Amino acid sequence: MSRRGWRGRVRPLRAGRGRDRGSTTAELAAALPALALLLFVGVAAVAATQTKLRCADAARDAALAAARGQEGTLSGTSTAPDGATITVTVQGDTVTATVRASARVAGTRLPAIDVSATAVAEREPDLPW
């Protein structure tokens, strides 16, 4: 369907032009908080995963060092996240190292996500205990 416009040009009729004005803005305003929340959750997940990987590396270093007869907590401290606690236990021929840390999203005052990692190593056979 068309109608004659100014100076006799033919242009198509747009059905419902006045009804939908501003609907895109309203939909964007409703979806923007959900999109921001999704972005924040994604950033928090990445921060928690990064902290978990650093805890796993530190636990592995601590367990291997303790299995060789060295101080395990000192070896794990170099790769552990800031504020992490390292626990090394020896039971028989097995050395277990556990690293716990809190993952925080940069600049937020929200509660931290607690992550931990454990590594187990067999003690070297000729070491005195």
Side-chain angles (χ1 to χ4, degrees):
M1 202 174 189
S2 64
R3 68 174 181 200
R4 296 240 176 233
W6 187 68
R7 292 192 179 183
R9 285 189 237 154
V10 176
R11 58 186 171 145
L13 270 176
R14 293 186 204 164
R17 181 178 174 188
R19 268 191 329 222
D20 292 337
R21 292 191 71 110
S23 65
T24 303
T25 305
E27 290 168 1
L28 181 64
L32 203 56
L35 185 62
L37 179 65
L38 185 64
L39 179 66
F40 179 76
V41 168
V43 169
V46 168
T49 302
Q50 182 181 17
T51 303
K52 174 79 172 183
L53 290 173
R54 289 184 66 193
C55 286
D57 288 343
R60 183 195 65 227
D61 291 346
L64 289 175
R68 290 188 304 257
Q70 300 170 353
E71 182 64 35
T73 55
L74 290 178
S75 296
T77 303
S78 63
T79 54
D82 294 335
T85 58
I86 301 172
T87 307
V88 177
T89 58
V90 178
Q91 292 180 337
D93 289 340
T94 305
V95 176
T96 304
T98 303
V99 179
R100 296 182 195 285
S102 296
R104 290 196 168 272
V105 180
T108 62
R109 296 182 187 182
L110 296 174
I113 302 168
D114 293 328
V115 295
S116 66
T118 303
V120 179
E122 187 174 343
R123 193 170 63 89
E124 294 290 327
D126 294 333
L127 293 176
W129 285 88

